Amino acid sequence: MAHRTYEMIWAVVRRIPRGRVATYALVADLAGLRGARQVGYALHALPDDHRVPWHRVINARGEISPRAGSDHDELQRVLLEHEGVEFDERGRIALERFLWKPRKGRPRC
DNA sequence: AACATGACCATTA
DNA sequence: GTAATGGCCATGT
């Protein structure tokens, strides 16, 4: 069953603003985890009333992770496009433009 | 407790 | 650019 780890991850994912995406590694880092795999686990275990923008979480390649035995991967792309996130011809997202940058203290103003 | 699995990542060849 | 290897650690049996 779900435990504290999941809620930490979900809390981070909820922070991702609209029109932005975050990688699994980034979410894991913000959630205080050491491995990015657990992030995928947590999202897979989302409850029905999750209220979590899971579609804004992508892999480090800037692509949607092809999950096994589900059609939700295409849904993720639709949801992101609906928020303004653009994909190139290979189905890849330009992380330089759409990656969420949590108050990391931007260099200069 | 051990083993196998997993919506992953970084490094190396 | 691709392909293979090791590591990471929670979850279910």
Side-chain angles (χ1 to χ4, degrees), chain A residues 55-106:
Chain A
H55 54 273
R56 294 177 193 151
V57 181
I58 60 178
N59 59 20
R61 293 175 174 175
E63 298 176 334
I64 296 173
S65 294
R67 65 192 137 283
S70 289
D71 307 345
H72 294 296
D73 50 346
E74 295 186 1
L75 173 63
Q76 181 170 6
R77 172 160 180 168
V78 173
L79 290 173
L80 287 176
E81 286 179 331
H82 193 264
E83 291 184 354
V85 178
E86 298 177 3
F87 290 78
D88 64 357
E89 326 236 313
R90 289 178 180 165
R92 184 156 43 166
I93 299 173
L95 292 178
E96 296 179 351
R97 290 177 46 184
F98 297 103
L99 182 63
W100 174 46
K101 294 163 185 178
R103 54 150 100 202
K104 210 173 175 192
R106 242 192 262 179

